[in-house]
Amino acid sequence: MEKSKKKRGLLKKIMKVLGIILLVILLVAAFIWFFVLNYPKLKQDPKVGKWYRLQTSEMVDSEGGRYHALFRKGSENSVMVYFAGGGVSIDENTAKNDTYNTRMVHPDYLANVTMNMGGLASDVDGSPYRNWTLILFPYATGDFDCGEGEFSYIDKDGKEKVLYHHGYTNFRAAMDLVMEKADVQNAENVVVTGYSAGGWAASRLADDVFSDYFPESKTKTVLVDSSMALNPAWKDIAEDVWHAPEHITERIHSYNITMDMLEALNNKWGIEVTLMFGSSTRDGDLSKVQRYFQTGIMNTETGEMPVENKDGDALMQMYRDALPEFKKNNVHVFFWNGMDWYGRTEYDLTSHTIISTPYVYAPLNDTEKSIAQWLQDGISGTAEDFGIDLLNKGY
Protein backbone atom coordinates (compact mmCIF):
# COMPACT_ATOMS: atom_id res chain seq x y z
CA MET A 1 0.00 0.00 0.00
CA GLU A 2 2.80 2.38 0.99
CA LYS A 3 4.69 1.48 -2.19
CA SER A 4 1.57 2.17 -4.27
CA LYS A 5 1.22 5.65 -2.72
CA LYS A 6 4.88 6.40 -3.41
CA LYS A 7 4.47 5.31 -7.03
CA ARG A 8 1.40 7.53 -7.45
CA GLY A 9 3.26 10.41 -5.84
CA LEU A 10 6.24 9.89 -8.13
CA LEU A 11 3.94 9.67 -11.14
CA LYS A 12 2.31 12.99 -10.16
CA LYS A 13 5.69 14.63 -9.87
CA ILE A 14 6.72 13.27 -13.25
CA MET A 15 3.47 14.48 -14.82
CA LYS A 16 3.93 17.90 -13.19
CA VAL A 17 7.45 18.18 -14.58
CA LEU A 18 6.26 17.07 -18.02
CA GLY A 19 3.46 19.61 -17.81
CA ILE A 20 5.91 22.38 -17.00
CA ILE A 21 8.16 21.28 -19.88
CA LEU A 22 5.18 21.23 -22.26
CA LEU A 23 4.12 24.69 -21.08
CA VAL A 24 7.63 26.04 -21.66
CA ILE A 25 7.64 24.51 -25.15
CA LEU A 26 4.28 26.10 -25.94
CA LEU A 27 5.42 29.48 -24.62
CA VAL A 28 8.62 29.30 -26.69
CA ALA A 29 6.61 28.26 -29.77
CA ALA A 30 4.18 31.13 -29.19
CA PHE A 31 7.06 33.58 -28.77
CA ILE A 32 8.66 32.37 -32.01
CA TRP A 33 5.34 32.60 -33.84
CA PHE A 34 4.38 36.07 -32.67
CA PHE A 35 7.82 37.72 -32.50
CA VAL A 36 10.05 35.83 -34.97
CA LEU A 37 7.99 34.17 -37.68
CA ASN A 38 4.79 36.15 -37.96
CA TYR A 39 5.51 39.52 -39.54
CA PRO A 40 3.05 42.38 -40.01
CA LYS A 41 2.05 43.45 -43.51
CA LEU A 42 4.07 46.23 -45.07
CA LYS A 43 2.58 49.64 -44.35
CA GLN A 44 3.34 53.11 -45.65
CA ASP A 45 6.67 54.48 -44.41
CA PRO A 46 7.91 51.29 -42.67
CA LYS A 47 10.21 51.49 -39.67
CA VAL A 48 13.92 51.00 -40.28
CA GLY A 49 15.16 47.59 -39.14
CA LYS A 50 11.70 45.98 -38.85
CA TRP A 51 10.58 43.01 -40.95
CA TYR A 52 7.28 43.09 -42.88
CA ARG A 53 5.25 40.78 -45.12
CA LEU A 54 4.83 41.63 -48.78
CA GLN A 55 1.46 40.13 -49.63
CA THR A 56 -1.33 40.73 -52.14
CA SER A 57 -4.38 38.72 -53.12
CA GLU A 58 -2.81 37.43 -56.36
CA MET A 59 0.28 35.94 -54.69
CA VAL A 60 0.08 32.13 -54.26
CA ASP A 61 2.40 29.20 -53.56
CA SER A 62 2.64 26.04 -55.65
CA GLU A 63 -0.55 24.57 -54.14
CA GLY A 64 -2.61 27.71 -54.54
CA GLY A 65 -2.21 28.80 -50.92
CA ARG A 66 -1.27 32.30 -49.85
CA TYR A 67 2.30 33.41 -50.50
CA HIS A 68 4.25 36.40 -49.26
CA ALA A 69 7.74 37.79 -49.60
CA LEU A 70 9.56 39.66 -46.81
CA PHE A 71 10.98 43.16 -46.49
CA ARG A 72 13.25 45.07 -44.11
CA LYS A 73 14.12 48.70 -44.66
CA GLY A 74 17.73 49.55 -43.93
CA SER A 75 19.39 52.70 -42.69
CA GLU A 76 21.73 52.81 -45.72
CA ASN A 77 20.65 53.74 -49.22
CA SER A 78 21.42 50.28 -50.62
CA VAL A 79 19.15 47.35 -51.54
CA MET A 80 19.67 43.59 -51.72
CA VAL A 81 17.07 41.53 -53.59
CA TYR A 82 17.56 37.99 -52.28
CA PHE A 83 16.03 34.77 -53.63
CA ALA A 84 16.03 31.75 -51.31
CA GLY A 85 16.69 28.28 -52.72
CA GLY A 86 14.58 25.15 -53.02
CA GLY A 87 13.67 22.57 -55.63
CA VAL A 88 12.48 22.73 -59.19
CA SER A 89 9.51 21.33 -61.08
CA ILE A 90 10.34 20.42 -64.67
CA ASP A 91 8.06 17.44 -65.35
CA GLU A 92 5.42 15.21 -63.76
CA ASN A 93 7.96 13.28 -61.66
CA THR A 94 9.33 16.42 -60.01
CA ALA A 95 5.85 17.94 -59.69
CA LYS A 96 4.50 14.99 -57.70
CA ASN A 97 7.48 14.92 -55.29
CA ASP A 98 7.30 17.68 -52.68
CA THR A 99 11.10 17.70 -52.38
CA TYR A 100 11.36 19.27 -55.81
CA ASN A 101 7.96 20.96 -56.05
CA THR A 102 8.61 23.06 -52.91
CA ARG A 103 5.47 24.55 -51.41
CA MET A 104 5.53 27.51 -49.00
CA VAL A 105 6.97 26.33 -45.68
CA HIS A 106 4.62 27.76 -43.05
CA PRO A 107 5.34 29.93 -41.25
CA ASP A 108 8.25 31.22 -43.30
CA TYR A 109 10.63 28.60 -41.95
CA LEU A 110 13.06 28.73 -44.82
CA ALA A 111 13.10 32.52 -44.93
CA ASN A 112 13.73 32.72 -41.19
CA VAL A 113 16.55 30.22 -41.40
CA THR A 114 18.00 32.24 -44.27
CA MET A 115 17.79 35.45 -42.25
CA ASN A 116 19.16 34.00 -39.03
CA MET A 117 21.79 31.39 -39.86
CA GLY A 118 24.60 33.88 -40.41
CA GLY A 119 24.68 34.46 -44.16
CA LEU A 120 24.36 37.58 -46.30
CA ALA A 121 20.74 38.16 -45.26
CA SER A 122 21.52 37.88 -41.53
CA ASP A 123 21.95 40.81 -39.17
CA VAL A 124 25.39 39.75 -37.96
CA ASP A 125 28.16 41.88 -36.51
CA GLY A 126 30.67 42.95 -39.12
CA SER A 127 28.42 42.31 -42.11
CA PRO A 128 28.68 45.16 -44.64
CA TYR A 129 25.03 44.46 -45.54
CA ARG A 130 23.41 44.49 -42.10
CA ASN A 131 22.06 48.03 -42.64
CA TRP A 132 20.95 47.48 -46.23
CA THR A 133 17.32 47.25 -47.27
CA LEU A 134 16.50 43.59 -47.91
CA ILE A 135 13.74 42.20 -50.13
CA LEU A 136 13.63 38.44 -49.56
CA PHE A 137 11.71 35.88 -51.58
CA PRO A 138 11.06 32.50 -49.91
CA TYR A 139 10.97 29.75 -52.53
CA ALA A 140 7.52 28.24 -52.97
CA THR A 141 6.59 27.78 -56.63
CA GLY A 142 9.14 25.33 -58.12
CA ASP A 143 9.71 27.56 -61.17
CA PHE A 144 12.88 29.52 -60.38
CA ASP A 145 10.50 32.40 -59.53
CA CYS A 146 9.72 33.07 -63.19
CA GLY A 147 6.38 31.35 -63.90
CA GLU A 148 2.94 32.78 -64.65
CA GLY A 149 0.87 29.64 -65.24
CA GLU A 150 -0.36 26.27 -64.01
CA PHE A 151 0.92 22.75 -64.65
CA SER A 152 -1.55 19.84 -64.49
CA TYR A 153 -0.24 16.44 -63.41
CA ILE A 154 -1.29 13.14 -61.81
CA ASP A 155 -0.11 12.76 -58.21
CA LYS A 156 1.10 9.61 -56.42
CA ASP A 157 -2.49 8.65 -55.56
CA GLY A 158 -3.64 8.89 -59.15
CA LYS A 159 -5.47 12.16 -58.63
CA GLU A 160 -5.30 15.07 -61.05
CA LYS A 161 -3.67 18.09 -59.46
CA VAL A 162 -2.47 21.53 -60.47
CA LEU A 163 0.89 23.04 -59.62
CA TYR A 164 0.76 26.82 -59.49
CA HIS A 165 3.90 28.18 -61.10
CA HIS A 166 3.27 31.80 -60.18
CA GLY A 167 6.77 32.82 -59.12
CA TYR A 168 6.99 35.73 -61.53
CA THR A 169 3.54 37.00 -60.59
CA ASN A 170 4.57 36.90 -56.92
CA PHE A 171 7.86 38.66 -57.64
CA ARG A 172 6.28 41.55 -59.55
CA ALA A 173 3.49 42.04 -57.02
CA ALA A 174 5.96 42.13 -54.11
CA MET A 175 8.34 44.54 -55.86
CA ASP A 176 5.46 46.83 -56.83
CA LEU A 177 4.32 46.88 -53.21
CA VAL A 178 7.80 47.87 -52.02
CA MET A 179 7.96 50.70 -54.54
CA GLU A 180 4.52 51.93 -53.53
CA LYS A 181 5.02 51.97 -49.76
CA ALA A 182 8.69 51.92 -48.80
CA ASP A 183 10.41 54.78 -50.68
CA VAL A 184 13.56 52.86 -51.66
CA GLN A 185 13.52 53.34 -55.44
CA ASN A 186 16.46 55.75 -55.43
CA ALA A 187 18.93 53.25 -53.96
CA GLU A 188 22.57 53.96 -54.67
CA ASN A 189 23.71 50.32 -54.64
CA VAL A 190 21.60 47.32 -55.70
CA VAL A 191 22.60 43.66 -55.42
CA VAL A 192 20.47 40.84 -56.84
CA THR A 193 21.49 37.46 -55.46
CA GLY A 194 20.22 34.00 -54.60
CA TYR A 195 21.37 30.49 -53.86
CA SER A 196 20.48 27.22 -55.61
CA ALA A 197 17.03 27.69 -57.22
CA GLY A 198 17.23 31.27 -55.98
CA GLY A 199 20.46 31.77 -57.90
CA TRP A 200 18.68 30.75 -61.09
CA ALA A 201 15.96 33.25 -60.14
CA ALA A 202 18.54 36.00 -59.61
CA SER A 203 19.99 35.48 -63.09
CA ARG A 204 16.50 35.65 -64.66
CA LEU A 205 14.98 38.49 -62.70
CA ALA A 206 17.96 40.84 -62.31
CA ASP A 207 17.04 42.63 -65.53
CA ASP A 208 13.52 43.31 -64.20
CA VAL A 209 15.02 44.64 -60.96
CA PHE A 210 17.40 47.00 -62.74
CA SER A 211 15.15 48.05 -65.62
CA ASP A 212 11.85 48.52 -63.84
CA TYR A 213 12.69 49.29 -60.21
CA PHE A 214 16.23 50.65 -59.82
CA PRO A 215 17.37 51.98 -63.22
CA GLU A 216 19.25 54.92 -61.70
CA SER A 217 21.28 52.99 -59.10
CA LYS A 218 24.97 53.85 -59.17
CA THR A 219 26.14 50.23 -58.83
CA LYS A 220 24.29 47.13 -60.04
CA THR A 221 25.61 43.69 -59.09
CA VAL A 222 24.38 40.13 -59.66
CA LEU A 223 25.75 37.23 -57.59
CA VAL A 224 24.59 33.73 -58.59
CA ASP A 225 25.39 31.09 -55.95
CA SER A 226 25.55 27.42 -57.03
CA SER A 227 23.00 27.52 -59.84
CA MET A 228 24.03 25.83 -63.07
CA ALA A 229 22.93 22.64 -64.81
CA LEU A 230 22.59 21.64 -68.45
CA ASN A 231 19.23 20.60 -69.89
CA PRO A 232 18.29 20.56 -73.59
CA ALA A 233 14.64 21.13 -72.62
CA TRP A 234 15.09 24.37 -70.64
CA LYS A 235 13.22 26.51 -73.17
CA ASP A 236 10.33 24.05 -73.39
CA ILE A 237 10.16 23.84 -69.59
CA ALA A 238 10.09 27.62 -69.25
CA GLU A 239 7.39 27.97 -71.90
CA ASP A 240 5.20 24.89 -71.36
CA VAL A 241 5.63 24.00 -67.66
CA TRP A 242 6.23 27.35 -65.95
CA HIS A 243 4.62 29.62 -68.60
CA ALA A 244 7.33 32.21 -68.05
CA PRO A 245 6.89 35.59 -69.77
CA GLU A 246 8.28 35.99 -73.27
CA HIS A 247 10.98 38.49 -72.27
CA ILE A 248 12.53 35.68 -70.19
CA THR A 249 11.98 32.72 -72.54
CA GLU A 250 13.32 34.59 -75.56
CA ARG A 251 16.76 34.76 -73.91
CA ILE A 252 17.03 30.93 -73.72
CA HIS A 253 18.99 29.52 -76.64
CA SER A 254 21.23 26.79 -75.20
CA TYR A 255 21.39 23.89 -72.72
CA ASN A 256 22.80 26.31 -70.12
CA ILE A 257 19.97 28.57 -69.01
CA THR A 258 22.12 30.36 -66.40
CA MET A 259 24.72 31.34 -68.99
CA ASP A 260 21.98 32.45 -71.37
CA MET A 261 20.67 34.86 -68.74
CA LEU A 262 24.11 36.17 -67.82
CA GLU A 263 24.85 36.66 -71.51
CA ALA A 264 21.63 38.65 -71.95
CA LEU A 265 22.48 40.84 -68.96
CA ASN A 266 25.96 41.50 -70.31
CA ASN A 267 24.67 42.28 -73.79
CA LYS A 268 22.13 44.77 -72.45
CA TRP A 269 23.99 46.43 -69.59
CA GLY A 270 27.71 45.92 -70.34
CA ILE A 271 30.01 47.23 -67.63
CA GLU A 272 27.09 48.98 -65.92
CA VAL A 273 26.28 45.65 -64.26
CA THR A 274 28.83 43.46 -62.46
CA LEU A 275 28.14 39.75 -62.99
CA MET A 276 29.42 37.14 -60.52
CA PHE A 277 29.08 33.35 -60.28
CA GLY A 278 30.27 31.13 -57.43
CA SER A 279 30.10 27.41 -56.65
CA SER A 280 31.98 24.62 -54.96
CA THR A 281 33.83 22.52 -57.51
CA ARG A 282 31.94 19.24 -57.05
CA ASP A 283 28.60 20.49 -55.71
CA GLY A 284 26.72 17.38 -54.58
CA ASP A 285 23.22 18.72 -55.20
CA LEU A 286 24.04 20.09 -58.64
CA SER A 287 25.79 16.80 -59.52
CA LYS A 288 22.66 14.88 -58.49
CA VAL A 289 20.25 17.13 -60.39
CA GLN A 290 22.45 17.12 -63.50
CA ARG A 291 22.42 13.33 -63.46
CA TYR A 292 18.61 13.36 -63.31
CA PHE A 293 18.43 15.77 -66.23
CA GLN A 294 20.58 13.38 -68.24
CA THR A 295 19.03 10.04 -67.19
CA GLY A 296 15.54 10.80 -65.87
CA ILE A 297 16.16 8.27 -63.09
CA MET A 298 14.35 9.01 -59.84
CA ASN A 299 12.73 6.98 -57.08
CA THR A 300 9.17 8.14 -57.74
CA GLU A 301 8.05 7.16 -54.23
CA THR A 302 10.70 9.10 -52.31
CA GLY A 303 11.87 11.62 -54.90
CA GLU A 304 15.46 10.52 -54.30
CA MET A 305 17.90 10.91 -57.19
CA PRO A 306 21.00 8.69 -57.33
CA VAL A 307 24.45 10.24 -57.44
CA GLU A 308 28.03 8.95 -57.75
CA ASN A 309 31.50 10.46 -57.61
CA LYS A 310 31.64 10.39 -61.41
CA ASP A 311 28.80 12.92 -61.37
CA GLY A 312 31.12 15.30 -59.51
CA ASP A 313 33.69 14.72 -62.27
CA ALA A 314 31.03 15.62 -64.85
CA LEU A 315 30.16 18.83 -63.00
CA MET A 316 33.80 19.90 -62.91
CA GLN A 317 34.02 19.27 -66.65
CA MET A 318 30.88 21.36 -67.18
CA TYR A 319 32.51 24.24 -65.31
CA ARG A 320 35.76 23.86 -67.27
CA ASP A 321 33.79 23.95 -70.52
CA ALA A 322 31.91 27.05 -69.30
CA LEU A 323 35.04 29.09 -68.51
CA PRO A 324 35.34 30.67 -72.00
CA GLU A 325 31.66 31.68 -71.84
CA PHE A 326 32.11 33.20 -68.39
CA LYS A 327 35.02 35.23 -69.73
CA LYS A 328 33.18 36.23 -72.92
CA ASN A 329 30.22 37.49 -70.90
CA ASN A 330 32.35 39.36 -68.35
CA VAL A 331 31.29 37.10 -65.47
CA HIS A 332 33.67 36.91 -62.51
CA VAL A 333 33.92 33.41 -61.00
CA PHE A 334 34.83 31.99 -57.60
CA PHE A 335 35.19 28.22 -57.22
CA TRP A 336 36.02 26.61 -53.89
CA ASN A 337 36.32 23.21 -52.24
CA GLY A 338 37.26 21.94 -48.78
CA MET A 339 33.74 21.46 -47.42
CA ASP A 340 32.13 18.01 -47.74
CA TRP A 341 28.65 17.53 -49.15
CA TYR A 342 26.59 17.69 -45.94
CA GLY A 343 29.41 15.82 -44.18
CA ARG A 344 28.88 12.73 -46.36
CA THR A 345 32.51 11.71 -46.60
CA GLU A 346 31.69 8.56 -48.56
CA TYR A 347 31.48 10.84 -51.59
CA ASP A 348 34.13 13.05 -53.19
CA LEU A 349 31.47 15.73 -53.52
CA THR A 350 31.44 19.25 -52.10
CA SER A 351 28.99 21.55 -50.34
CA HIS A 352 25.99 23.14 -52.00
CA THR A 353 25.61 26.95 -51.74
CA ILE A 354 27.33 29.38 -49.38
CA ILE A 355 25.65 32.80 -49.21
CA SER A 356 23.01 31.67 -46.70
CA THR A 357 25.64 30.26 -44.31
CA PRO A 358 28.27 31.79 -42.00
CA TYR A 359 30.92 30.41 -44.36
CA VAL A 360 30.16 33.31 -46.69
CA TYR A 361 32.43 35.38 -44.39
CA ALA A 362 35.20 32.74 -44.19
CA PRO A 363 38.40 32.92 -46.28
CA LEU A 364 38.38 30.20 -48.95
CA ASN A 365 40.96 28.28 -50.99
CA ASP A 366 43.88 29.18 -48.69
CA THR A 367 43.41 32.85 -49.59
CA GLU A 368 42.30 35.79 -47.48
CA LYS A 369 39.23 36.26 -49.67
CA SER A 370 35.69 35.33 -48.60
CA ILE A 371 32.60 35.37 -50.81
CA ALA A 372 31.28 38.35 -48.84
CA GLN A 373 34.52 40.26 -49.47
CA TRP A 374 34.46 39.18 -53.11
CA LEU A 375 30.94 40.59 -53.43
CA GLN A 376 32.20 43.86 -51.96
CA ASP A 377 34.90 43.86 -54.64
CA GLY A 378 32.21 43.35 -57.26
CA ILE A 379 30.22 46.30 -55.98
CA SER A 380 33.32 48.50 -56.06
CA GLY A 381 34.34 47.27 -59.52
CA THR A 382 37.53 45.46 -58.44
CA ALA A 383 36.44 41.79 -58.50
CA GLU A 384 38.89 39.11 -59.67
CA ASP A 385 38.51 35.40 -60.43
CA PHE A 386 39.34 32.75 -57.82
CA GLY A 387 39.67 28.98 -57.74
CA ILE A 388 39.83 28.23 -61.46
CA ASP A 389 42.87 26.00 -60.85
CA LEU A 390 40.75 23.80 -58.56
CA LEU A 391 38.71 22.66 -61.55
CA ASN A 392 41.76 20.66 -62.72
CA LYS A 393 42.26 18.85 -59.42
CA GLY A 394 42.09 15.05 -59.63
CA TYR A 395 39.84 12.87 -57.44
Side-chain angles (χ1 to χ4, degrees):
M1 191 68 163
E2 188 65 29
K3 287 183 177 179
S4 180
K5 284 183 179 180
K6 287 183 177 179
K7 285 183 178 179
R8 285 198 297 271
L10 180 61
L11 182 60
K12 285 183 179 179
K13 289 181 180 179
I14 292 173
M15 293 302 292
K16 185 177 181 180
V17 171
L18 290 176
I20 292 172
I21 292 173
L22 179 59
L23 179 61
V24 171
I25 291 173
L26 290 174
L27 289 173
V28 170
F31 176 84
I32 293 174
W33 168 246
F34 287 109
F35 297 103
V36 180
L37 300 174
N38 189 25
Y39 304 102
K41 286 186 178 180
L42 179 65
K43 57 185 180 181
Q44 201 75 39
D45 299 322
K47 293 181 179 179
V48 171
K50 184 176 178 63
W51 282 98
Y52 297 90
R53 289 180 182 224
L54 301 172
Q55 189 171 50
T56 67
S57 59
E58 72 240 66
M59 297 167 70
V60 298
D61 66 12
S62 63
E63 295 191 328
R66 301 184 76 183
Y67 173 87
H68 60 264
L70 295 162
F71 170 83
R72 182 199 69 202
K73 188 168 183 176
S75 59
E76 296 183 22
N77 190 27
S78 298
V79 172
M80 180 178 291
V81 181
Y82 187 116
F83 296 93
V88 61
S89 167
I90 63 166
D91 54 25
E92 191 157 303
N93 282 337
T94 52
K96 70 177 62 173
N97 284 282
D98 291 341
T99 305
Y100 301 99
N101 163 0
T102 313
R103 70 189 72 172
M104 184 72 167
V105 181
H106 186 75
D108 299 326
Y109 174 74
L110 181 61
N112 277 276
V113 169
T114 298
M115 291 185 293
N116 294 298
M117 68 189 299
L120 288 182
S122 301
D123 183 14
V124 297
D125 289 340
S127 169
Y129 313 104
R130 67 178 303 183
N131 295 318
W132 282 39
T133 289
L134 183 61
I135 306 168
L136 191 149
F137 290 88
Y139 191 68
T141 50
D143 58 1
F144 295 162
D145 291 302
C146 70
E148 290 186 303
E150 290 84 45
F151 178 66
S152 297
Y153 67 99
I154 305 301
D155 71 8
K156 295 177 183 178
D157 299 321
K159 298 178 181 178
E160 186 172 345
K161 292 189 71 174
V162 172
L163 190 60
Y164 293 86
H165 290 309
H166 285 201
Y168 187 74
T169 303
N170 295 342
F171 160 73
R172 294 292 302 202
M175 293 297 297
D176 289 346
L177 198 59
V178 169
M179 296 301 114
E180 175 190 343
K181 295 182 178 294
D183 189 27
V184 297
Q185 50 265 67
N186 295 316
E188 183 174 354
N189 305 295
V190 177
V191 169
V192 181
T193 189
Y195 63 92
S196 193
W200 268 289
S203 70
R204 279 147 195 71
L205 300 177
D207 183 59
D208 283 67
V209 172
F210 299 140
S211 294
D212 299 336
Y213 299 107
F214 301 103
E216 302 301 321
S217 61
K218 188 175 296 185
T219 73
K220 301 176 177 69
T221 309
V222 180
L223 171 58
V224 175
D225 175 16
S226 309
S227 313
M228 186 172 286
L230 307 182
N231 191 328
W234 275 135
K235 192 175 184 69
D236 292 336
I237 293 165
E239 291 178 340
D240 302 330
V241 179
W242 304 334
H243 301 282
E246 186 178 356
H247 75 274
I248 290 178
T249 60
E250 68 183 5
R251 302 176 207 156
I252 304 172
H253 61 83
S254 77
Y255 290 9
N256 191 337
I257 191 172
T258 304
M259 193 68 74
D260 290 346
M261 298 300 154
L262 294 173
E263 177 185 55
L265 284 166
N266 181 58
N267 289 343
K268 178 174 180 177
W269 294 94
I271 61 172
E272 191 175 344
V273 172
T274 299
L275 303 175
M276 311 179 79
F277 178 91
S279 174
S280 68
T281 56
R282 299 171 63 82
D283 185 310
D285 283 322
L286 291 184
S287 298
K288 182 172 64 174
V289 169
Q290 182 65 69
R291 178 173 176 145
Y292 175 71
F293 288 168
Q294 292 175 328
T295 66
I297 297 174
M298 174 196 288
N299 184 322
T300 55
E301 293 300 316
T302 65
E304 185 58 34
M305 300 171 179
V307 68
E308 299 178 45
N309 287 330
K310 66 180 182 181
D311 300 311
D313 298 335
L315 187 74
M316 291 179 73
Q317 184 61 53
M318 180 191 75
Y319 283 148
R320 287 195 294 268
D321 293 342
L323 286 175
E325 291 298 307
F326 280 127
K327 186 175 181 61
K328 173 186 172 184
N329 294 309
N330 296 311
V331 182
H332 301 287
V333 297
F334 198 135
F335 295 102
W336 70 90
N337 61 10
M339 288 179 279
D340 295 328
W341 183 43
Y342 305 126
R344 300 175 68 176
T345 55
E346 69 271 26
Y347 295 106
D348 284 328
L349 299 175
T350 51
S351 60
H352 178 54
T353 78
I354 196 169
I355 66 168
S356 65
T357 76
Y359 295 110
V360 72
Y361 298 105
L364 298 171
N365 301 348
D366 297 323
T367 72
E368 296 300 316
K369 189 69 65 176
S370 69
I371 295 295
Q373 292 168 325
W374 185 57
L375 177 55
Q376 283 290 101
D377 293 344
I379 295 168
S380 66
T382 59
E384 299 177 4
D385 295 335
F386 291 91
I388 292 176
D389 57 314
L390 296 176
L391 297 178
N392 295 313
K393 183 178 176 180
Y395 288 83

